[in-house]
Structure formats: structure tokens, C-alpha cells
Amino acid sequence: MKNESEPTNQGRRDFLGAAAGLTAAAVAPGMMLHTVDSEAAAPTGGVSDAHRWGLLVDTSKCADGCTACVDACDQENGLNLQSQPLGDDELKWQNQRATWIRKVKLQDNLTGQVTNLPLMCQHCEHPPCVDVCPTGASFKRADGIVMVDRHTCIGCRYCMMACPYKARSFIHEQVDQKLTRAPRGKGCVESCNLCAHRLDTGDISTACADACSAEGHQALVFGDLKDPTGPLRQALAKKPNRQIRQDLGLNTGVRYAGI
Amino acid sequence: MKRIVYREWLVEPQRYWGLLAMLAGVIAVGGLSALYMEHEGHWVTGMTNSVVWGTPHVFAVFLIIAASGALNVASIGTVFDKTAYKPLARLSGLLAVALLVGGLLVLVLDLGRPDRLLVAMTTYNFSSIFAWNIFLYSGFAAIVIGYLWTMAERKGNHLQKPVGTFAFLWRLALTTGTGSIFGFLVGREAYDTAILAPLFVVMSFAYGLAIYMLVLFYAFDADGRPIGPAMLKRLKNLLGLFVAAVLYFTLVYHLTKLYGAKNSDIEAFLLINGGLYTALFWVGWVLIGGLIPLGIIYHPELNKQRDWIATASALVVAGGLAAMYVIIIGSQAYPQEMFPGHSVIQFGAPGDVGGRVAPYSPSFPELLLGLGGVGVALLITAVGIRVLQFLPESLADRDVDPHASARHA
Ligand code: SF4
Ligand code: SF4
């Protein structure tokens, strides 16, 4: 399965490149134009496969009760601007609003030990969400970031069915307020994009990792999985780590230490 | 052998127009529901980020697999050369197209962005089974229409067998494709099995035939056309066979899941402690959709009465909807297992769902949209048989298969 998905991904990327070009030309503001602007080069909108972006989560440092990464993501990507539709049930709304990153608390069934960790899109190398998307709106950039092209997403939600990490959200309500860097529209699906807007302007960071450091926890290290001297690879070398649902062989870009 | 004569449906105009008006009403309400959901957004439905496919998918998938099953009757006549089924073939083709259109309409209207249908039809991701299904569905409709032509047109008669065979193979691909939509979801325990595709195929046989029989009985009753006892027996035996096959494959499905020990939790959920889903499985899927119809079909007295056989067919349809509900919604409600050996004690904000069963209750608009799809399918069928010659004048045994009835006599 691994061997097969590479060439198809490649073909899809070329194809998407063309599609993205068309969309970008046709529709004014939005992510596509943004990325094309930043580095007018390769068909994928200026991102190269010289990098593969990823994260290491050190669960031993992730503090109980802290939500700094979640709050930062909400601010960064305008998720705090969502408003509960009048008349919607509060609990249902919590399950309907878009969430790119969530704090998860686990308890070991045997030892009772409690572990905290942030869970977001794992940026799979072989993303099931991309495989199933009928229009190719879900795509993987050359630098490993998996995201949704909101101009071609038809809102079928098949990708949400396919994602093993419950990383994706459907926009259930009308959107009144949004940020230019994080366009959002009713009826489309979205998920964590590793703050692609930052990377595309040369800022190698994510809001969640920054916020975690600012709180003094340093539980999140962001960086390039392909750079042997970079901070991520250094951190990965120091701590034994694994992928959530490693058995699925998706080769995720987000790794966890201490689970 | 006698030539089969086909006639337009000769039901009295009041009854016909009354039926159309009723169906149009159901469709209008379904359409308005879709508009409402589209305008407000999906928050007005019971769907969430946990249960992303709701009641509309239950109806849509049911209608689509029933569509391919409805074609079976024609296939038996053409492909397997059972003369007695030949007069049934035209209605079978019409019903197949009608059910498919109804199902697809529901599927499309439940999209987050139905206005982007054009995108879906012009931008393909060929590694997506969903995209392949778009071809399978439109191809199916085209082939069946061609097949109907070979049946109706003298010039096309000699093509009937090859086209019919092709349609039969295509319908198998279509149901397998629909089943595969679920089979491909590696992250969802309930679907992670190869048995799902064959299960869908036998389900399509049963549901398609049940709907076929209901429509046939109703239409024949309405303008007083006869159905012979041998024909009745044939159909109900076939239904019995298909329903038994569904039960058998259901058993195999659960045994394979139980065998792969890591799925035993989802098994316990579906079979023992899943609340509504467990109830729907046992009462809906197994009892109402399986055992009771089988009891009627093999009951020495009841199985000779058309009304009882119609009841059995209706129960199969109801059980089929329950089965779809369990398969589609039950397995989404069941939490995705991400951390083996751990319990999830908190997952995002309170109300956000992970590690526990996700709540879902269907909302009215969802239900009405689904029923609207059924309405569309029936409206197409009603108009079709009224204006074109789809129904044989008689299904009395001597008209259908004179040799067979001579033998029995
Ligand atoms: S974690 Fe889910 S959304 Fe992210 S790439 Fe993997 S399958 Fe897609
Ligand atoms: S919801 Fe959008 S991104 Fe997800 S599979 Fe459907 S079209 Fe693709």
C-alpha cells in the first residue's frame, strides 16, 4: 500500500497544481493566491519537497490543565471567531464547532497513569483523507503539509470518515467573521495546516509550539523532519517516540514521546 | 409461447393524479428541508464532527444499493435465461434507474456545498473510490436505459443479452463500489473488513427485490392485472433466498470481526451494549428485516397470500433501513480507537467527543430529505409506467410460462 500511494500522490499533486492554478486565477483572495505570491515557482504553489514539516510532542512536559496551544491556535486561525448559532444546543455545538487542535487526557488502564497531549492533524505521509477525497480538495503539499483547498471542497465529509485521528472539522454554521489568513466557509471541511501561512512567508514556526514555549513548558517542537541538524531532528534523537496508530503505517509528521 | 403484451398503467385518473400529488408533496417537503439545511448550515441537523454522515446517507445508500438490486429481476430473465422473469424485466430496469436517481439526489443535497456539484463532476481524484462511484452511477443509469431500449425496440432485441449481461456485471461493480466506500476507511473499526462488499451485494438483492415486489403488487392491483400463483411463489422464494443470504453474511461479518480480537469492543457495542444501535441491529436488522419475513415466506398458509407476501417485503425494506442506520451511524457513533490500553478521560472542550459514544439524533429535515428521495424514485416509476409500456398486461401463469403451468397442472 505504501509503495503504491507514492506515484498516485505525485500524479495528484501535478494535477492539483494545475487545478490550484486555475482556481487561484479565478477566485480572488484566499490561500491559493497567498501561497502562489510568496514564492512563485513549483506547481504546488511554491513549496518544495526539500522540507517535511512536523512536530514532536513530549507528553511528559505537557501540563495538566494548560490550554495554551489550543488558545493560540484558536487566535491564529480565527477559530475563536466562530459563534454558536442561536438555538443550537450547547453540548452539540461543542461537537460541531471547528477544532484544529484539542487537549486530550488519557489514563493508562493498567497503571492508572495520566498523560496529557495535544492532538491535531498528524500530517500523514500517506493521508487517508487525501486518498478518499473525490475532488482532490484534500491534498498534501510537497513539504508534507496536508490541507483542504476550500475552493474545491464540496463538503462530502468523506475525509472526516477516513481520518483515524478525528482531526477534521466541518463548518456547520454560517461564518460571519474570519481572518484573511484562515478563510472559512459554511459547508467545507478544514483542519490544522501547521500554520502554513507562517511558513509561506518564511516564518518557521507554529502558533501552538510558540505558545507552549511561552508558557515555559516546551512540550512542542516544530521543525523540518528532513533537516538532520534542525531542532526537530535533534529532539527526536533524544527521546524515544512513536506515532499514534503507528500500526496503520501512515508515517505521520507529528510524533509523540511518552505514550 | 405467447407473446408478452405490455400496456401503460391503466389506473383511474383520479387515483393516478392523487398518487402523483401525494408524491409531489413528499418531494416538495424534502426539497424545502434541503433548502433549509443548506441555508442555515448543517448545525440544524443532528450531525456533528463525530457523526458526519446522518440520516440522509442512510436513505441515500439504501436507495442506491436497492437500485442495483432492483435490476436483478431483469438480469435473471436475460442473463440466466429464465423465461418466466422476462415479462418482469422492463419494470425492473425502470425501478433501478428511478431508485438510483432518488438516492443520488439525497446524497447531493446533503453535501456541504451542493452548488459545487460541477466541481465534483469535473475535478476527479482517481484514487478516491467516491470519485469512481460517480462514474459507476452515471454509467449504470446509461446502461440500464440502453438495456430498456433493447427490450422495447424490435431492432435492439438481439442486443438484449449482451447489454443485459453487461448491466448485470456493472451492477455488481456498483454495489461493491458502494460497499467499498465504507470498506476503505482504515480508521474506523466497524468497516475494516473485506466482507462488507459482499454483504452489500446480498443486501442489494434483498432490498431491491422487496421494493420491486411492493411496486409490482401495487401497480397490478390498481388496474386489476392478474399475477398467477406460480409467479407469486417464484418471487417470494427468491426473496426468501436473498433474505436468508443477508442473514448469513451478517453472521459471517460478525464472526470475522470477533475473530480479529481487537475489534471485539465494537462487536460488543453493536451486539450487546450499544443501546439504540444494538436494538436496531437485533429488532430491526435481524428480526423485522430477516426472521419475520422468512417466517411469512415459508409459512405454508400465509405464503400463498399476496398481502402477506407484500407485508414480508415491506418488513424487509424496514429492516434494510435499520441495517443501514446501524452500519452508517452506529459505527460513527462508536469512538475511534486511537490509544490502545488507555481510557480517554478528556477530549477537547466538554461536549467535544472522543473515547466515548457520540450522541446523534436525527432531525426532521434530515428525515424529510431522505423521504423526499424515496418520493422522487416512486414518482419517476409512477409516471414511467403510466406513459410508457413497462408493465406486462398479465402475469397469470399461462401467459408467462405456458409450459411450466402445463407441467404443474
Ligand atoms: S491526520 Fe487525518 S486529516 Fe491529517 S493528514 Fe492524516 S488523515 Fe488527513
Ligand atoms: S469534504 Fe471536501 S476535502 Fe473532504 S473529502 Fe469531501 S471534498 Fe474532499
Side-chain angles (χ1 to χ4, degrees):
Chain A
M1 162 152 191
K2 248 182 227 168
N3 306 345
E4 284 165 21
S5 58
E6 248 339 273
T8 48
N9 276 350
Q10 187 54 53
R12 183 157 57 233
R13 238 175 272 138
D14 297 346
F15 179 62
L16 260 163
L22 278 178
T23 333
V27 197
M31 188 149 340
M32 280 304 154
L33 262 189
H34 187 80
T35 50
V36 169
D37 277 346
S38 62
E39 241 184 86
T44 36
V47 273
S48 91
D49 61 4
H51 310 287
R52 182 170 178 218
W53 304 112
L55 277 164
L56 173 67
V57 180
D58 185 345
T59 58
S60 64
K61 294 182 180 162
C62 180
D64 204 1
C66 169
T67 55
C69 56
V70 179
D71 300 339
C73 178
D74 282 1
Q75 294 277 341
E76 181 81 13
N77 297 297
L79 293 159
N80 55 342
L81 301 176
Q82 301 174 85
S83 54
Q84 176 178 359
L86 214 66
D88 198 11
D89 177 75
E90 173 64 32
L91 283 181
K92 192 163 105 184
W93 168 242
Q94 285 304 332
N95 204 0
Q96 283 179 330
R97 70 186 289 275
T99 315
W100 287 14
I101 178 172
R102 35 170 83 86
K103 258 306 274 292
V104 175
K105 194 193 274 195
L106 304 173
Q107 186 163 37
D108 191 308
N109 290 343
L110 213 60
T111 63
Q113 193 201 340
V114 170
T115 310
N116 283 282
L117 55 89
L119 182 71
M120 69 296 273
C121 168
Q122 306 286 298
H123 298 280
C124 313
E125 186 193 349
H126 308 288
C129 57
V130 171
D131 283 341
V132 300
C133 175
T135 64
S138 280
F139 69 107
K140 188 179 74 173
R141 308 201 318 184
D143 59 2
I145 295 181
V146 177
M147 50 198 244
V148 180
D149 174 357
R150 284 189 200 78
H151 302 300
T152 35
C153 174
I154 54 173
C156 68
R157 320 191 281 291
Y158 196 18
C159 54
M160 301 177 73
M161 292 290 284
C163 173
Y165 306 100
K166 206 181 175 226
R168 299 208 146 187
S169 300
F170 180 65
I171 303 303
H172 288 81
E173 75 290 353
Q174 275 164 23
V175 178
D176 304 324
Q177 290 181 66
K178 59 187 162 201
L179 305 172
T180 349
R181 60 172 180 258
R184 172 161 298 124
K186 180 184 71 181
C188 290
V189 165
E190 54 180 56
S191 55
C192 157
N193 58 16
L194 289 178
C195 291
H197 56 277
R198 289 192 178 197
L199 290 167
D200 293 338
T201 52
D203 175 3
I204 316 278
S205 68
T206 63
C208 54
D210 283 2
C212 186
S213 297
E215 286 290 305
H217 300 309
Q218 257 96 26
L220 286 164
V221 180
F222 175 72
D224 185 355
L225 284 161
K226 284 187 173 163
D227 178 3
T229 56
L232 181 56
R233 285 282 289 272
Q234 303 272 332
L236 284 166
K238 271 191 224 121
K239 282 246 171 189
N241 57 81
R242 57 186 297 273
Q243 309 166 32
I244 300 176
R245 291 295 319 254
Q246 191 145 355
D247 57 313
L248 295 176
L250 305 176
N251 191 15
T252 59
V254 180
R255 304 297 169 91
Y256 289 80
I259 53 162
Chain B
M1 201 191 116
K2 245 172 133 175
R3 246 199 77 198
I4 306 154
V5 184
Y6 294 90
R7 274 249 190 290
E8 294 85 352
W9 197 26
L10 297 173
V11 63
E12 322 84 83
Q14 302 97 300
R15 189 153 171 205
Y16 175 69
W17 290 107
L19 178 71
L20 286 203
M22 197 191 77
L23 291 174
V26 172
I27 295 168
V29 173
L32 286 174
S33 305
L35 267 180
Y36 169 68
M37 289 188 280
E38 224 47 68
H39 178 77
E40 286 291 333
H42 272 66
W43 72 269
V44 295
T45 70
M47 291 176 240
T48 59
N49 289 327
S50 306
V51 176
V52 302
W53 286 350
T55 307
H57 272 79
V58 171
F59 278 91
V61 175
F62 178 82
L63 287 170
I64 289 168
I65 64 170
S68 62
L71 191 66
N72 243 21
V73 179
S75 305
I76 295 171
T78 316
V79 184
F80 302 105
D81 278 325
K82 296 266 188 274
T83 326
Y85 285 91
K86 290 225 161 112
L88 303 171
R90 292 188 185 181
L91 177 62
S92 161
L94 173 69
L95 204 52
V97 174
L99 291 168
L100 186 73
V101 170
L104 287 183
L105 217 53
V106 175
L107 207 58
V108 165
L109 290 175
D110 185 51
L111 289 178
R113 298 293 305 258
D115 52 313
R116 286 193 183 151
L117 191 60
L118 213 62
V119 174
M121 305 217 289
T122 50
T123 325
Y124 284 114
N125 164 18
F126 287 100
S127 70
S128 168
I129 183 81
F130 217 93
W132 281 106
N133 274 311
I134 300 179
F135 285 111
L136 286 172
Y137 297 154
S138 39
F140 181 76
I143 292 167
V144 174
I145 290 170
Y147 185 26
L148 282 171
W149 176 80
T150 64
M151 291 187 237
E153 175 62 52
R154 194 68 62 90
K155 277 184 297 195
N157 274 181
H158 63 287
L159 290 172
Q160 193 173 333
K161 178 119 187 186
V163 176
T165 311
F166 189 52
F168 176 68
L169 295 176
W170 194 279
R171 69 147 311 269
L172 287 181
L174 187 145
T175 328
T176 313
T178 311
S180 303
I181 287 184
F182 299 96
F184 268 72
L185 303 171
V186 289
R188 304 227 174 226
E189 282 68 25
Y191 301 134
D192 199 3
T193 165
I195 194 78
L196 213 54
L199 177 64
F200 267 65
V201 171
V202 289
M203 281 176 156
S204 82
F205 286 170
Y207 308 156
L209 181 62
I211 296 177
Y212 182 93
M213 285 163 69
L214 286 172
V215 169
L216 181 78
F217 293 167
Y218 177 81
F220 266 52
D221 215 31
D223 67 351
R225 302 182 200 212
I227 302 179
M231 178 55 93
L232 204 59
K233 190 166 159 210
R234 224 176 262 127
L235 288 173
K236 69 109 181 123
N237 282 346
L238 196 62
L239 186 65
L241 184 71
F242 291 161
V243 170
V246 170
L247 285 178
Y248 171 75
F249 274 91
T250 307
L251 186 72
V252 175
Y253 168 82
H254 288 289
L255 287 179
T256 18
K257 299 253 78 173
L258 282 170
Y259 188 70
K262 94 181 188 340
N263 293 309
S264 51
D265 288 346
I266 174 104
E267 276 305 290
F269 174 71
L270 293 178
L271 301 182
I272 302 164
N273 54 20
L276 172 69
Y277 302 105
T278 306
L280 279 175
F281 174 77
W282 289 111
V283 180
W285 184 340
V286 174
L287 195 65
I288 297 182
L291 296 177
I292 300 181
L294 279 183
I296 297 175
I297 289 167
Y298 292 109
H299 189 283
E301 292 307 315
L302 301 183
N303 76 6
K304 295 200 180 61
Q305 300 170 33
R306 197 202 289 183
D307 288 347
W308 277 102
I309 297 176
T311 309
S313 306
L315 290 175
V316 171
V317 171
L321 285 167
M324 289 298 124
Y325 198 92
V326 173
I327 291 181
I328 294 172
I329 295 180
S331 39
Q332 292 180 82
Y334 186 75
Q336 285 177 283
E337 305 225 42
M338 287 179 234
F339 308 98
H342 292 78
S343 310
V344 177
I345 42 184
Q346 194 189 315
F347 195 85
D352 198 355
V353 177
R356 64 185 172 85
V357 177
Y360 169 81
S361 39
S363 63
F364 265 112
E366 288 172 76
L367 191 67
L368 296 173
L369 171 59
L371 290 173
V374 178
V376 168
L378 294 179
L379 184 80
I380 295 176
T381 312
V383 174
I385 58 177
R386 175 80 171 186
V387 300
L388 293 170
Q389 300 172 345
F390 277 103
L391 296 180
E393 206 161 47
S394 154
L395 285 175
D397 294 336
R398 67 193 136 71
D399 296 324
V400 174
D401 194 356
H403 311 294
S405 53
R407 262 199 313 275
H408 284 298

